[in-house]
Amino acid sequence: MPLEIVRNDITKMNVDAIVNAANSTLLGGGGVDGAIHKAAGKGLLMECIKLGGCKTGQAKITDAYKLPARFVIHTVGPKWKGGNHGEKSLLESCYRESLALAKEHNCETVAFPLISSGVYGYPKDKALRVAIDVISDFLLENDMTVFIVIFDKAAYKISEKLFSDIAEYIDDNYVDAHTDYSRESMRMKMPMQSVMAADFCECRASDLDSKLKQLDESFSQMLLRKIDEKGITDAECYKKANIDRKLFSKIRSDVNYKPSKTTAIAFAVSLELSLEETEDMLRKAGFALSHSNKFDIIIEYFIENGNYNIFEINEVLFAFDQKLLGA
Ligand code: APR
Protein backbone atom coordinates (compact mmCIF):
# COMPACT_ATOMS: atom_id res chain seq x y z
CA MET A 1 0.00 0.00 0.00
CA PRO A 2 1.81 3.19 -1.12
CA LEU A 3 0.42 5.33 1.74
CA GLU A 4 -0.21 3.77 5.14
CA ILE A 5 -1.22 5.27 8.47
CA VAL A 6 0.30 3.21 11.30
CA ARG A 7 0.54 3.38 15.04
CA ASN A 8 4.18 3.09 16.09
CA ASP A 9 7.24 4.76 17.55
CA ILE A 10 9.04 6.15 14.50
CA THR A 11 12.43 5.21 15.95
CA LYS A 12 11.40 1.57 15.57
CA MET A 13 10.43 1.82 11.91
CA ASN A 14 12.55 -0.35 9.66
CA VAL A 15 12.41 1.91 6.60
CA ASP A 16 14.97 3.60 4.34
CA ALA A 17 14.37 7.04 5.89
CA ILE A 18 12.57 8.43 8.90
CA VAL A 19 11.67 12.10 9.04
CA ASN A 20 12.44 14.14 12.14
CA ALA A 21 10.26 17.08 13.25
CA ALA A 22 13.27 19.16 14.26
CA ASN A 23 13.84 22.80 15.19
CA SER A 24 15.93 25.23 13.20
CA THR A 25 19.14 24.54 15.18
CA LEU A 26 18.98 20.80 14.33
CA LEU A 27 20.62 20.22 17.71
CA GLY A 28 17.82 18.08 19.14
CA GLY A 29 14.96 18.85 21.49
CA GLY A 30 11.92 17.09 22.93
CA GLY A 31 9.13 15.11 21.26
CA VAL A 32 10.02 13.03 18.25
CA ASP A 33 13.27 15.03 17.83
CA GLY A 34 14.41 13.96 21.27
CA ALA A 35 13.35 10.34 20.70
CA ILE A 36 15.25 10.13 17.39
CA HIS A 37 18.46 11.64 18.80
CA LYS A 38 18.27 9.35 21.82
CA ALA A 39 17.81 6.23 19.72
CA ALA A 40 20.38 7.22 17.07
CA GLY A 41 23.12 8.07 19.55
CA LYS A 42 25.78 10.80 19.64
CA GLY A 43 26.86 10.33 16.06
CA LEU A 44 23.66 11.95 14.84
CA LEU A 45 24.22 15.11 16.84
CA MET A 46 27.83 15.30 15.67
CA GLU A 47 26.68 15.22 12.03
CA CYS A 48 23.84 17.71 12.68
CA ILE A 49 26.24 20.24 14.16
CA LYS A 50 28.02 20.38 10.79
CA LEU A 51 24.75 21.14 8.95
CA GLY A 52 24.53 24.65 10.36
CA GLY A 53 20.81 24.56 11.11
CA CYS A 54 17.77 24.43 8.80
CA LYS A 55 15.09 26.94 7.80
CA THR A 56 11.38 26.33 8.49
CA GLY A 57 9.87 24.42 5.57
CA GLN A 58 13.29 23.11 4.48
CA ALA A 59 14.84 19.65 4.99
CA LYS A 60 18.35 18.19 5.40
CA ILE A 61 19.49 14.55 5.44
CA THR A 62 21.94 12.64 7.64
CA ASP A 63 22.85 9.03 8.39
CA ALA A 64 20.68 7.23 10.94
CA TYR A 65 23.48 5.71 13.05
CA LYS A 66 21.97 3.27 15.61
CA LEU A 67 18.42 3.56 14.20
CA PRO A 68 17.06 0.72 12.01
CA ALA A 69 16.57 3.25 9.19
CA ARG A 70 19.34 4.23 6.73
CA PHE A 71 18.73 7.98 6.81
CA VAL A 72 17.17 10.67 8.99
CA ILE A 73 15.59 13.56 7.12
CA HIS A 74 15.38 16.58 9.41
CA THR A 75 12.72 19.12 8.60
CA VAL A 76 11.52 22.13 10.53
CA GLY A 77 7.78 22.60 10.70
CA PRO A 78 5.99 25.92 11.27
CA LYS A 79 4.80 26.97 14.70
CA TRP A 80 0.99 27.31 14.66
CA LYS A 81 -0.02 30.97 15.03
CA GLY A 82 -3.70 30.67 14.20
CA GLY A 83 -3.43 29.64 10.56
CA ASN A 84 -3.02 33.02 8.84
CA HIS A 85 0.76 33.26 8.85
CA GLY A 86 1.58 30.90 5.98
CA GLU A 87 1.71 27.86 8.28
CA LYS A 88 -0.05 25.56 5.77
CA SER A 89 2.32 26.26 2.89
CA LEU A 90 5.36 25.92 5.15
CA LEU A 91 4.08 22.56 6.41
CA GLU A 92 3.38 21.42 2.84
CA SER A 93 6.94 22.40 1.99
CA CYS A 94 8.28 20.21 4.84
CA TYR A 95 6.64 17.12 3.30
CA ARG A 96 7.56 18.07 -0.26
CA GLU A 97 11.22 18.82 0.52
CA SER A 98 11.55 15.66 2.64
CA LEU A 99 10.05 13.48 -0.11
CA ALA A 100 12.35 15.09 -2.69
CA LEU A 101 15.40 14.30 -0.53
CA ALA A 102 14.17 10.72 0.00
CA LYS A 103 13.74 10.30 -3.76
CA GLU A 104 17.20 11.79 -4.41
CA HIS A 105 18.66 9.15 -2.09
CA ASN A 106 16.70 6.32 -3.77
CA CYS A 107 14.61 5.60 -0.70
CA GLU A 108 11.81 3.13 -1.33
CA THR A 109 10.21 3.49 2.10
CA VAL A 110 9.84 6.65 4.21
CA ALA A 111 8.15 7.25 7.58
CA PHE A 112 6.80 10.64 8.70
CA PRO A 113 5.62 11.78 12.13
CA LEU A 114 2.80 14.35 12.14
CA ILE A 115 5.10 17.35 11.75
CA SER A 116 4.30 20.46 13.84
CA SER A 117 1.34 18.74 15.55
CA GLY A 118 3.03 18.48 18.94
CA VAL A 119 5.04 21.26 20.59
CA TYR A 120 4.46 23.53 17.58
CA GLY A 121 0.71 23.32 18.14
CA TYR A 122 -0.56 22.67 14.61
CA PRO A 123 -4.10 21.20 15.02
CA LYS A 124 -3.73 17.46 14.44
CA ASP A 125 -6.65 17.07 12.03
CA LYS A 126 -5.32 19.92 9.86
CA ALA A 127 -1.76 18.58 10.12
CA LEU A 128 -2.96 15.13 9.02
CA ARG A 129 -4.87 16.57 6.07
CA VAL A 130 -1.77 18.45 4.86
CA ALA A 131 0.35 15.32 5.22
CA ILE A 132 -2.11 13.13 3.31
CA ASP A 133 -2.71 15.67 0.53
CA VAL A 134 0.98 16.35 -0.18
CA ILE A 135 2.07 12.71 0.12
CA SER A 136 -0.78 11.36 -2.03
CA ASP A 137 -0.02 13.95 -4.76
CA PHE A 138 3.63 12.86 -4.69
CA LEU A 139 2.63 9.17 -4.94
CA LEU A 140 0.61 9.81 -8.09
CA GLU A 141 3.91 10.51 -9.85
CA ASN A 142 6.36 8.39 -7.84
CA ASP A 143 6.73 4.78 -6.70
CA MET A 144 7.47 4.82 -2.99
CA THR A 145 5.84 3.47 0.18
CA VAL A 146 5.16 6.20 2.71
CA PHE A 147 4.07 5.71 6.33
CA ILE A 148 2.42 8.35 8.47
CA VAL A 149 3.34 7.25 11.99
CA ILE A 150 0.85 8.10 14.72
CA PHE A 151 2.51 7.86 18.11
CA ASP A 152 -0.34 8.45 20.49
CA LYS A 153 -3.66 7.21 19.05
CA ALA A 154 -5.59 9.19 21.64
CA ALA A 155 -4.31 12.42 20.14
CA TYR A 156 -5.12 11.19 16.61
CA LYS A 157 -7.79 13.51 15.30
CA ILE A 158 -9.84 13.59 12.17
CA SER A 159 -12.19 16.54 11.91
CA GLU A 160 -14.83 16.42 14.64
CA LYS A 161 -17.65 16.92 12.10
CA LEU A 162 -16.55 14.04 9.88
CA PHE A 163 -16.07 11.82 12.93
CA SER A 164 -19.52 12.54 14.36
CA ASP A 165 -21.25 12.24 10.94
CA ILE A 166 -19.78 8.79 10.48
CA ALA A 167 -20.41 7.69 14.05
CA GLU A 168 -24.06 8.65 13.51
CA TYR A 169 -24.20 6.82 10.16
CA ILE A 170 -22.78 3.70 11.83
CA ASP A 171 -25.38 3.92 14.60
CA ASP A 172 -28.19 4.27 12.04
CA ASN A 173 -27.01 1.35 9.94
CA TYR A 174 -25.11 -1.03 12.17
CA VAL A 175 -27.05 -4.21 12.88
CA ASP A 176 -26.05 -7.26 14.87
CA ALA A 177 -24.68 -10.09 12.80
CA HIS A 178 -27.71 -12.33 13.28
CA THR A 179 -30.19 -9.79 12.01
CA ASP A 180 -28.20 -8.53 9.09
CA TYR A 181 -30.03 -8.62 5.75
CA SER A 182 -27.38 -6.99 3.63
CA ARG A 183 -28.40 -6.16 0.12
CA GLU A 184 -26.24 -9.04 -1.05
CA SER A 185 -27.80 -11.71 1.13
CA MET A 186 -31.27 -10.55 -0.01
CA ARG A 187 -30.18 -10.80 -3.64
CA MET A 188 -28.65 -14.24 -3.04
CA LYS A 189 -32.05 -15.41 -1.68
CA MET A 190 -33.77 -14.42 -4.91
CA PRO A 191 -33.76 -17.20 -7.53
CA MET A 192 -31.31 -16.45 -10.35
CA GLN A 193 -33.99 -15.70 -12.95
CA SER A 194 -35.58 -12.96 -10.75
CA VAL A 195 -32.11 -11.39 -10.20
CA MET A 196 -31.74 -11.55 -13.97
CA ALA A 197 -35.21 -10.04 -14.34
CA ALA A 198 -34.33 -7.30 -11.82
CA ASP A 199 -31.16 -6.55 -13.75
CA PHE A 200 -33.00 -6.88 -17.04
CA CYS A 201 -35.65 -4.23 -16.32
CA GLU A 202 -32.85 -1.78 -15.52
CA CYS A 203 -31.42 -2.01 -19.01
CA ARG A 204 -32.68 -1.95 -22.58
CA ALA A 205 -33.35 -5.37 -24.15
CA SER A 206 -30.51 -4.72 -26.60
CA ASP A 207 -28.02 -4.71 -23.69
CA LEU A 208 -29.16 -8.17 -22.64
CA ASP A 209 -26.15 -10.01 -24.13
CA SER A 210 -23.62 -7.62 -22.60
CA LYS A 211 -25.53 -7.94 -19.30
CA LEU A 212 -25.35 -11.73 -19.57
CA LYS A 213 -21.63 -11.47 -20.34
CA GLN A 214 -21.13 -9.19 -17.33
CA LEU A 215 -22.95 -11.63 -15.06
CA ASP A 216 -20.27 -14.27 -15.53
CA GLU A 217 -17.18 -12.08 -16.08
CA SER A 218 -14.49 -12.43 -13.42
CA PHE A 219 -13.37 -9.71 -11.00
CA SER A 220 -10.29 -9.05 -13.10
CA GLN A 221 -12.35 -8.82 -16.31
CA MET A 222 -14.82 -6.40 -14.71
CA LEU A 223 -11.94 -4.28 -13.35
CA LEU A 224 -10.29 -4.00 -16.78
CA ARG A 225 -13.66 -3.33 -18.47
CA LYS A 226 -14.39 -0.53 -16.01
CA ILE A 227 -10.93 1.01 -16.51
CA ASP A 228 -11.63 1.10 -20.27
CA GLU A 229 -15.16 2.46 -19.78
CA LYS A 230 -13.84 5.25 -17.52
CA GLY A 231 -11.13 6.08 -20.07
CA ILE A 232 -8.37 6.07 -17.45
CA THR A 233 -4.96 4.41 -17.53
CA ASP A 234 -4.04 1.34 -15.43
CA ALA A 235 -1.59 3.50 -13.46
CA GLU A 236 -4.22 6.14 -12.70
CA CYS A 237 -6.52 3.39 -11.44
CA TYR A 238 -4.11 1.53 -9.14
CA LYS A 239 -2.50 4.70 -7.78
CA LYS A 240 -5.90 6.13 -6.91
CA ALA A 241 -6.68 2.77 -5.29
CA ASN A 242 -3.54 3.04 -3.14
CA ILE A 243 -2.44 -0.28 -4.68
CA ASP A 244 1.13 -0.94 -5.79
CA ARG A 245 2.07 -1.74 -9.38
CA LYS A 246 3.18 -5.32 -8.61
CA LEU A 247 -0.23 -6.33 -7.26
CA PHE A 248 -2.06 -4.69 -10.15
CA SER A 249 -0.01 -6.59 -12.74
CA LYS A 250 -0.80 -9.86 -10.90
CA ILE A 251 -4.53 -9.09 -11.17
CA ARG A 252 -4.21 -8.01 -14.82
CA SER A 253 -2.40 -11.20 -15.81
CA ASP A 254 -4.66 -13.67 -13.99
CA VAL A 255 -8.29 -13.63 -15.18
CA ASN A 256 -9.33 -15.65 -12.12
CA TYR A 257 -7.33 -13.65 -9.57
CA LYS A 258 -9.18 -13.41 -6.24
CA PRO A 259 -8.27 -10.14 -4.45
CA SER A 260 -8.77 -9.43 -0.75
CA LYS A 261 -11.96 -7.56 0.17
CA THR A 262 -10.04 -4.34 0.96
CA THR A 263 -8.30 -4.54 -2.43
CA ALA A 264 -11.59 -5.12 -4.27
CA ILE A 265 -13.21 -2.19 -2.48
CA ALA A 266 -10.13 0.00 -3.11
CA PHE A 267 -10.61 -0.52 -6.86
CA ALA A 268 -14.35 0.14 -6.63
CA VAL A 269 -13.56 3.43 -4.88
CA SER A 270 -10.82 4.29 -7.37
CA LEU A 271 -13.29 3.71 -10.26
CA GLU A 272 -15.90 5.75 -8.36
CA LEU A 273 -18.47 2.97 -8.75
CA SER A 274 -22.01 3.32 -7.43
CA LEU A 275 -23.04 1.16 -4.48
CA GLU A 276 -24.76 -1.32 -6.85
CA GLU A 277 -21.68 -1.60 -9.07
CA THR A 278 -19.46 -1.90 -5.98
CA GLU A 279 -21.54 -4.81 -4.72
CA ASP A 280 -21.41 -6.37 -8.17
CA MET A 281 -17.60 -6.05 -8.27
CA LEU A 282 -17.33 -7.45 -4.73
CA ARG A 283 -19.58 -10.38 -5.62
CA LYS A 284 -17.17 -11.30 -8.42
CA ALA A 285 -14.40 -11.47 -5.84
CA GLY A 286 -16.61 -13.55 -3.52
CA PHE A 287 -17.51 -10.80 -1.04
CA ALA A 288 -20.54 -8.72 -0.02
CA LEU A 289 -21.07 -5.49 1.91
CA SER A 290 -22.74 -6.14 5.21
CA HIS A 291 -24.39 -3.94 7.83
CA SER A 292 -22.94 -6.04 10.59
CA ASN A 293 -19.49 -4.78 9.74
CA LYS A 294 -18.34 -1.23 10.62
CA PHE A 295 -15.72 -1.26 7.88
CA ASP A 296 -18.42 -1.91 5.26
CA ILE A 297 -20.71 0.78 6.70
CA ILE A 298 -17.94 3.39 6.55
CA ILE A 299 -17.27 2.45 2.90
CA GLU A 300 -20.99 2.71 2.18
CA TYR A 301 -21.06 6.17 3.86
CA PHE A 302 -18.36 7.48 1.55
CA ILE A 303 -19.86 5.96 -1.61
CA GLU A 304 -23.36 7.24 -0.76
CA ASN A 305 -21.81 10.71 -0.22
CA GLY A 306 -19.88 10.52 -3.49
CA ASN A 307 -16.54 10.94 -1.65
CA TYR A 308 -14.03 8.63 -3.38
CA ASN A 309 -10.86 10.05 -1.82
CA ILE A 310 -9.25 6.83 -0.65
CA PHE A 311 -6.78 8.65 1.59
CA GLU A 312 -9.62 10.42 3.39
CA ILE A 313 -11.43 7.09 3.71
CA ASN A 314 -8.29 5.51 5.19
CA GLU A 315 -7.98 8.39 7.66
CA VAL A 316 -11.46 7.57 8.94
CA LEU A 317 -10.95 3.79 8.88
CA PHE A 318 -7.82 4.32 10.98
CA ALA A 319 -9.74 6.53 13.42
CA PHE A 320 -12.34 3.75 13.83
CA ASP A 321 -9.63 1.07 14.26
CA GLN A 322 -10.54 -0.64 10.99
CA LYS A 323 -8.31 -2.14 8.29
CA LEU A 324 -7.20 0.36 5.65
CA LEU A 325 -8.00 0.25 1.94
CA GLY A 326 -5.33 -0.82 -0.47
CA ALA A 327 -3.07 -3.85 -0.80
N1 APR B 1 7.29 8.45 17.06
C1 APR B 1 6.37 9.01 16.24
N2 APR B 1 5.76 10.18 16.50
C2 APR B 1 6.10 10.81 17.66
C3 APR B 1 7.06 10.29 18.56
C4 APR B 1 7.66 9.06 18.22
N3 APR B 1 8.59 8.48 19.00
N4 APR B 1 7.16 11.16 19.62
C5 APR B 1 6.28 12.15 19.37
N5 APR B 1 5.64 11.93 18.21
C6 APR B 1 4.61 12.75 17.57
C7 APR B 1 3.82 13.67 18.47
O1 APR B 1 2.75 12.94 19.08
C8 APR B 1 3.29 14.66 17.44
O2 APR B 1 2.08 14.17 16.87
O3 APR B 1 5.26 13.62 16.65
C9 APR B 1 4.38 14.69 16.36
C10 APR B 1 5.19 15.99 16.34
O4 APR B 1 5.36 16.44 17.67
P1 APR B 1 6.75 17.11 18.18
O5 APR B 1 7.77 16.05 18.32
O6 APR B 1 6.42 17.92 19.38
O7 APR B 1 7.22 18.05 16.98
P2 APR B 1 6.66 19.48 16.54
O8 APR B 1 5.28 19.71 16.95
O9 APR B 1 6.99 19.57 15.09
O10 APR B 1 7.56 20.50 17.36
C11 APR B 1 8.94 20.54 17.05
O11 APR B 1 9.54 20.15 19.31
O12 APR B 1 10.79 18.40 19.99
C12 APR B 1 10.85 19.72 19.66
O13 APR B 1 13.06 20.04 18.82
C13 APR B 1 11.70 19.97 18.47
O14 APR B 1 11.66 22.32 18.76
C14 APR B 1 11.14 21.26 17.99
C15 APR B 1 9.66 21.10 18.25
Side-chain angles (χ1 to χ4, degrees):
M1 191 147 60
L3 173 55
E4 285 208 57
I5 306 175
V6 294
R7 283 242 11 239
N8 206 338
D9 171 345
I10 202 165
T11 63
K12 307 265 187 299
M13 295 289 287
N14 193 356
V15 291
D16 290 331
I18 63 169
V19 178
N20 179 22
N23 59 55
S24 52
T25 68
L26 294 187
L27 301 180
V32 70
D33 195 4
I36 288 174
H37 274 273
K38 186 160 169 249
K42 278 250 161 298
L44 179 62
L45 181 60
M46 293 304 119
E47 188 174 350
C48 283
I49 289 170
K50 293 183 208 138
L51 293 177
C54 181
K55 285 202 181 75
T56 301
Q58 300 298 311
K60 293 190 175 178
I61 193 166
T62 65
D63 282 348
Y65 299 92
K66 294 183 189 153
L67 288 159
R70 286 170 47 214
F71 300 108
V72 178
I73 294 173
H74 307 265
T75 190
V76 182
K79 290 186 179 109
W80 180 255
K81 298 176 190 137
N84 303 316
H85 299 77
E87 296 97 318
K88 184 166 181 277
S89 51
L90 282 169
L91 188 58
E92 287 169 344
S93 170
C94 288
Y95 288 98
R96 222 173 276 127
E97 294 297 315
S98 302
L99 288 165
L101 268 181
K103 183 178 178 180
E104 223 174 278
H105 289 74
N106 304 313
C107 296
E108 289 180 5
T109 52
V110 183
F112 282 93
L114 265 187
I115 300 164
S116 284
S117 69
V119 167
Y120 282 178
Y122 209 110
K124 289 210 189 262
D125 58 332
K126 291 182 174 32
L128 182 63
R129 173 108 319 267
V130 167
I132 286 176
D133 288 352
V134 175
I135 295 167
S136 46
D137 280 351
F138 172 85
L139 291 174
L140 285 177
E141 311 296 329
N142 297 278
D143 278 345
M144 198 183 273
T145 297
V146 181
F147 297 91
I148 297 176
V149 184
I150 304 296
F151 188 53
D152 41 347
K153 181 77 195 293
Y156 177 84
K157 279 232 175 342
I158 58 171
S159 70
E160 301 297 329
K161 168 131 182 31
L162 183 56
F163 193 94
S164 55
D165 282 357
I166 288 173
E168 199 182 311
Y169 190 84
I170 290 174
D171 282 350
D172 294 348
N173 291 281
Y174 186 69
V175 289
D176 296 340
H178 67 279
T179 59
D180 174 39
Y181 289 101
S182 68
R183 241 183 278 268
E184 181 49 34
S185 58
M186 291 299 272
R187 276 172 73 95
M188 293 319 259
K189 291 191 175 63
M190 288 155 73
M192 201 54 192
Q193 57 275 23
S194 52
V195 170
M196 282 276 292
D199 287 347
F200 177 77
C201 69
E202 276 161 25
C203 66
R204 296 188 314 282
S206 60
D207 295 351
L208 182 58
D209 58 319
S210 67
K211 204 83 189 153
L212 283 170
K213 258 196 233 108
Q214 288 171 19
L215 272 182
D216 52 21
E217 71 186 346
S218 70
F219 168 82
S220 164
Q221 286 166 328
M222 178 176 179
L223 173 64
L224 300 180
R225 171 169 62 82
K226 282 290 174 190
I227 290 175
D228 290 345
E229 284 173 12
K230 298 270 176 190
I232 57 175
T233 64
D234 290 354
E236 282 167 333
C237 179
Y238 65 74
K239 283 192 174 287
K240 238 187 107 190
N242 200 22
I243 297 279
D244 60 33
R245 188 164 22 95
K246 288 191 275 302
L247 175 57
F248 182 82
S249 39
K250 248 194 245 167
I251 295 172
R252 171 172 265 291
S253 55
D254 175 359
V255 70
N256 298 314
Y257 187 87
K258 281 276 179 263
S260 70
K261 185 171 185 178
T262 53
T263 297
I265 290 178
F267 279 116
V269 165
S270 153
L271 291 162
E272 302 192 0
L273 300 186
S274 66
L275 205 50
E276 293 304 314
E277 290 175 311
T278 298
E279 288 178 322
D280 191 19
M281 180 170 257
L282 276 175
R283 187 174 30 258
K284 294 178 190 309
F287 301 112
L289 286 180
S290 152
H291 277 186
S292 60
N293 176 328
K294 282 190 187 166
F295 175 92
D296 291 5
I297 294 174
I298 292 171
I299 298 301
E300 197 178 294
Y301 169 87
F302 277 92
I303 293 178
E304 298 273 55
N305 287 278
N307 181 343
Y308 292 96
N309 180 329
I310 200 160
F311 301 109
E312 192 165 328
I313 296 172
N314 273 343
E315 223 179 298
V316 170
L317 289 171
F318 184 82
F320 282 87
D321 293 318
Q322 301 296 314
K323 276 183 77 180
L324 304 188
L325 283 182

